[in-house]
Amino acid sequence: MISRWTVVADRDDLTKTEVLHDELPALADGEMLLRVSRVGLTANNVTYGVIGDMIGYWNFFPAGGPGQGVIPLWGLADVVESTVDALPAGTRVYGYLPMASHLVVRPRLTSAGFVDASDHRAELPAVYNSYLVTTQDPAYDERLEDLQVLYRPLFLTSFLLADRLVDNDFHGARTVVISSASSKTAFGTAQRLRGAGVRVVGLTSARNVEFTKGLGLYDTVLPYDASVDVEPSVYLDFSGSDEVRSALHDRLGSDLVKDISIGLTHQAASQDVRSEFFFAPDQLRKRTADWGSEGLAQRFGEAWRGFTAQAGEWVAVVQHSGPEELVGVWQAVLAGRAKPDSADVITF
Ligand SMILES: NC(=O)c1ccc[n+]([C@@H]2O[C@H](COP(=O)([O-])OP(=O)(O)OC[C@H]3O[C@@H](n4cnc5c(N)ncnc54)[C@H](OP(=O)(O)O)[C@@H]3O)[C@@H](O)[C@H]2O)c1
């Protein structure tokens, strides 16, 4: 019998967590056991909890009692037991993982690795069910595992979001205003927009202005209470702040040609009719159809290499280990105490 730990959170109060312990039953035919190895934790994972019911994020890794759930993380895991010949013990994979030491999956093989075909995941967006075997992944580099678990899911969004804007000729705007500009997904987007012929303005908290300027990725960085120039602009909202949105609409009026909501670092899950939601898996499906899986992987791989060549300079990685430290990081990120110039990687 293998002992497992799992961190569950109250769905209605994400600050309330509990570490559960149980014994894993023997694997059924077709199943495989992953030992979670290394994960990143950022504001993005908080969003999974804040809108867990809306998108179904609580359904990936069911555990705990009524009203509890498991926050998903991106990271690396190792196969420790397998009934699938093509995926023997020792195989290392990258994908969507629980706040738990172990995960039982039911692999259906793909060219890049496998999809977890477990019944409870069947209705969930495919991108979250895919696992890449590191030895088959052209973007994998053993020396960059920390950057991979932290940035890869975020940078894929940055890549697809910037691509969508270029694809639509910025909806006629020549300025892109980005909130929560100090967040990794936001500054990854700014990095992708450099040289694209638009002015990129970052809005951030007063305490994060210096860090955000220091990235050198925005043409202008302003605190939230400053006024932007009145010119045709697209708004990329990573904050979810009603206040910031309303101030921009009031100031720019019809010069605000597009308002796109990507995140909610401020943790308010309200939807505004003036804003359209960007769901990265939708653009991923479109570009997979346009370019094919390999064409997309090649384009993303090139962008990813350019990004990781610099990302280590922008943010220092802080290492943690085990369930107690994981909970400590969760509480700090949830409370907004995490600093933008450091990022947390946890080994299980
Ligand atoms: N739609 C999608 O497909 C998709 C994909 C990836 C990420 N996202 C979203 O993008 C957002 C950024 O994620 P990330 O992982 O890149 O973030 P991150 O790097 O962890 O962001 C940290 C920044 O977020 C703001 N922040 C964090 N906690 C806060 C709090 N409690 N109250 C107020 N502000 C807080 C602060 O920025 P400022 O001071 O600059 O505001 C902080 O510097 C998330 O909401 C995430 O869900 C969406």
Side-chain angles (χ1 to χ4, degrees):
M1 292 281 249
I2 292 178
S3 303
R4 165 176 61 183
W5 58 259
T6 305
V7 175
V8 293
D10 280 12
R11 298 179 187 206
D12 293 339
D13 180 354
L14 299 172
T15 64
K16 291 195 179 132
T17 58
E18 197 181 337
V19 185
L20 308 178
H21 295 270
D22 67 350
E23 303 288 327
L24 280 158
L27 292 182
D29 239 15
E31 286 184 342
M32 183 168 88
L33 180 64
L34 297 175
R35 175 75 172 91
V36 180
S37 165
R38 182 180 297 265
V39 298
L41 205 170
T42 69
N44 186 39
N45 304 98
V46 174
T47 304
Y48 292 146
V50 175
I51 53 170
D53 288 320
M54 255 186 266
I55 311 272
Y57 291 119
W58 293 120
N59 302 335
F60 281 94
F61 310 115
Q68 290 183 314
V70 176
I71 297 288
L73 304 166
W74 290 93
L76 291 149
D78 298 304
V79 177
V80 287
E81 271 183 38
S82 181
T83 65
V84 182
D85 291 345
L87 296 164
T91 305
R92 196 159 175 79
V93 301
Y94 165 76
Y96 213 47
L97 299 165
M99 279 195 181
S101 59
H102 294 81
L103 174 67
V104 176
V105 289
R106 179 169 283 282
R108 196 181 64 234
L109 297 179
T110 63
S111 58
F114 67 92
V115 163
D116 182 4
S118 296
D119 286 347
H120 68 276
R121 293 176 69 160
E123 301 301 321
L124 297 164
V127 64
Y128 299 111
N129 289 335
S130 297
Y131 293 80
L132 305 176
V133 170
T134 56
T135 51
Q136 290 163 228
D137 175 9
Y140 174 77
D141 180 337
E142 194 181 356
R143 296 162 302 177
L144 300 180
E145 284 199 345
D146 286 338
L147 294 184
Q148 171 161 356
V149 299
L150 274 169
Y151 284 103
R152 191 153 161 184
L154 309 177
F155 186 67
L156 179 61
T157 299
S158 308
F159 171 85
L160 293 166
L161 178 60
D163 170 63
R164 199 187 102 156
L165 292 181
V166 172
D167 204 18
N168 288 284
D169 197 21
F170 297 95
H171 306 280
R174 283 294 168 261
T175 294
V176 177
V177 179
I178 301 182
S179 64
S180 264
S182 67
S183 72
K184 293 164 200 62
T185 321
F187 72 67
T189 308
Q191 193 255 6
R192 290 300 297 159
L193 293 176
R194 286 190 80 68
V198 282
R199 196 166 80 87
V200 184
V201 178
L203 302 179
T204 184
S205 317
R207 70 187 174 106
N208 292 332
V209 166
E210 281 316 304
F211 165 79
T212 310
K213 279 186 179 168
L215 293 168
L217 296 171
Y218 295 92
D219 297 299
T220 307
V221 175
L222 298 171
Y224 283 122
D225 57 4
S227 296
V228 297
D229 291 341
V230 179
E231 54 198 0
S233 303
V234 170
Y235 177 40
L236 301 182
D237 179 24
F238 289 88
S239 71
S241 161
D242 284 340
E243 205 183 323
V244 175
R245 163 165 291 110
S246 291
L248 272 179
H249 278 271
D250 289 350
R251 178 149 179 88
L252 294 175
S254 60
D255 277 321
L256 185 54
V257 296
K258 200 76 172 175
D259 171 347
I260 302 173
S261 159
I262 307 101
L264 31 100
T265 58
H266 292 205
Q267 299 175 24
S270 67
Q271 187 62 45
D272 189 313
V273 288
R274 295 171 296 184
S275 174
E276 67 184 57
F277 183 63
F278 178 76
F279 190 51
D282 292 341
Q283 183 72 3
L284 190 67
R285 256 194 306 277
K286 177 181 187 293
R287 284 315 202 184
T288 306
D290 292 345
W291 298 334
S293 299
E294 279 181 20
L296 175 63
Q298 187 258 327
R299 285 170 171 85
F300 176 72
E302 204 172 298
W304 171 245
R305 279 186 289 282
F307 181 79
T308 49
Q310 287 184 288
E313 296 164 21
W314 294 323
V315 175
V317 175
V318 182
Q319 302 285 345
H320 310 265
S321 72
E324 282 76 26
E325 291 187 15
L326 167 67
V327 170
V329 173
W330 169 249
Q331 297 291 358
V333 172
L334 183 61
R337 291 198 305 272
K339 296 204 183 83
D341 61 356
S342 68
D344 300 292
V345 166
I346 308 101
T347 45
F348 283 15

